[in-house]
Every structure is written in C-alpha cells, then in structure tokens.
C-alpha cells in the first residue's frame, strides 16, 4: 500500500517516472492491455535517455550519475522482459521473441532464454530453438530443467522425423 501511494506521488511529480509506472503496472492494473500500456510508457521514457530524477538527458559525469544510468539500464531490461511476457500472453509471438532476444543479449542471466524458447516453440520454429540452445551452451550458464527438457524434446523430434522418413520410404518400395 505504501509503495503504491509513493508511486502515485512520484507520477504527480513526473508523469513518466519509469519506476513508478512499473510499480503501478505490476500492482494495480487488472488487464494485460493496461499493464502493457504502462510498461510501454516506461520503456519509451527509458529508451529516450530521460533520467526521471534530474528531469533531463542522462549525462554520465560522476559516480552518482553512473549508478543512476546503470539503474535505468537494468530497469529498461526488466521492462522489456515484462513487455515480452505481455506480448506473448496477447498472442503476438514475433514481438515477444524480438523483445526476449534483446533482453537475452543485454542481460543473459535473466531467464529470457527460457521465455524465448517457449515463444519459439509456440511458433513451431524448431531451428531457432536449436540456435538459442547452442548459444545458451556457449554462455556456460547453469542449465535449468526447461533448457534440458527442450534439448531432449528436440533430439526426440529429430529421431521421430528420421523414423517417419524411413517408414515412408519402406511403404513406397
């Protein structure tokens, strides 16, 4: 309750405060469309280099501003991740994949790879799933159950396709 009240106060001071928009989106909005609208507003503010604290363009000249810029970058990555989840829930899988790829590139330790794999599997884009898995292996991150399960499913699918081809060839002769 206190956090939401403070978020509303921050929005009265700066109607584009990304942290406050994120808080409102996650805590108060009741539909995916409403959440997405607030997140897009926050993303737009962060992408255009506006620092909500100093009310101006971000200029890195000292440690305090560097910390603020780092916080804004982390916030932007998180907002994009949440936007990808919204797009996926709304059935916009290509947009979700684009956002998850950006998040995975900017912040590989988030579970964006798993989200990306799930969206690609929904699209039945198995070759891209295989590419994501190989990139994930190259990063050397610990494997989650979802990553292991997906790798096994892709191997099983490849074996099944080979068996179907052999069966088809046997029937034609």
């Amino acid at each position: 309750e206190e956090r939401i009240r403070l978020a509303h106060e921050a929005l009265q001071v700066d109607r584009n405060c990304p942290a406050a928009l994120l808080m409102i989106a996650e805590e108060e909005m009741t539909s995916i469309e409403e959440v997405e609208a607030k997140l897009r507003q926050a993303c737009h503010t962060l992408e255009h280099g506006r620092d909500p604290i100093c009310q101006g363009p971000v200029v890195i000249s000292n440690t305090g501003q560097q910390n603020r810029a780092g916080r804004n970058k982390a916030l932007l990555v998180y907002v994009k991740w949440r936007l990808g989840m919204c797009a996926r829930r709304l059935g916009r899988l290509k947009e979700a994949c684009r956002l998850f790829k950006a998040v995975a590139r900017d912040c590989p330790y988030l579970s964006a790879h798993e989200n990306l794999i799930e969206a690609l599997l929904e699209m039945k884009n198995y070759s891209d799933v295989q590419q994501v898995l190989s990139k994930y292996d190259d990063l050397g991150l610990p494997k989650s159950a979802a990553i292991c399960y997906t790798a096994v499913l892709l191997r099983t699918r490849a074996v099944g396709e080979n068996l179907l081809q052999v069966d088809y060839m046997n029937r034609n002769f």
Side-chain angles (χ1 to χ4, degrees):
E1 298 293 324
E2 180 69 13
R3 296 178 315 150
I4 295 172
R5 185 185 62 75
L6 290 172
H8 282 290
E9 287 179 13
L11 288 176
Q12 289 175 354
V13 173
D14 177 9
R15 66 184 178 91
N16 290 319
C17 178
L21 290 167
L22 176 63
M23 174 69 68
I24 298 297
E26 291 191 339
E27 300 290 331
E28 277 195 341
M29 300 296 108
T30 57
S31 73
I32 301 292
E33 291 83 4
E34 291 174 336
V35 171
E36 185 182 37
K38 290 289 183 195
L39 291 175
R40 283 200 185 281
Q41 188 178 351
C43 188
H44 183 267
T45 300
L46 290 163
E47 282 180 333
H48 287 84
R50 302 291 297 179
D51 190 336
I53 294 174
C54 66
Q55 296 291 324
V58 176
V59 178
I60 299 175
S61 62
N62 65 27
T63 306
Q65 287 178 330
Q66 286 175 344
N67 290 342
R68 217 176 329 201
R71 184 207 63 219
N72 285 350
K73 183 178 182 199
L75 191 58
L76 177 62
V77 167
Y78 183 77
V79 167
K80 283 184 177 182
W81 183 46
R82 297 292 293 166
L83 277 170
M85 292 167 57
C86 288
R88 183 170 172 227
R89 290 281 305 263
L90 293 170
R92 296 192 313 260
L93 297 175
K94 286 185 180 182
E95 180 183 351
C97 287
R98 181 184 54 80
L99 289 163
F100 290 142
K101 283 178 185 177
V103 171
R105 181 188 62 243
D106 294 342
C107 192
Y109 57 85
L110 274 177
S111 64
H113 291 93
E114 294 176 13
N115 296 111
L116 176 58
I117 287 170
E118 290 171 2
L120 289 169
L121 286 172
E122 268 186 79
M123 293 169 51
K124 298 181 186 329
N125 198 340
Y126 303 114
S127 61
D128 284 352
V129 172
Q130 190 64 48
Q131 287 177 351
V132 171
L133 286 173
S134 65
K135 284 180 186 175
Y136 193 85
D137 284 341
D138 292 344
L139 291 174
L141 296 172
K143 290 182 175 46
S144 67
I147 298 293
C148 294
Y149 185 68
T150 302
V152 169
L153 282 175
L154 287 178
R155 284 188 209 114
T156 305
R157 183 177 179 277
V159 168
E161 284 178 350
N162 287 339
L163 288 174
L164 283 174
Q165 285 178 347
V166 169
D167 185 45
Y168 179 74
M169 289 173 58
N170 288 340
R171 288 183 183 191
N172 284 337
F173 288 113

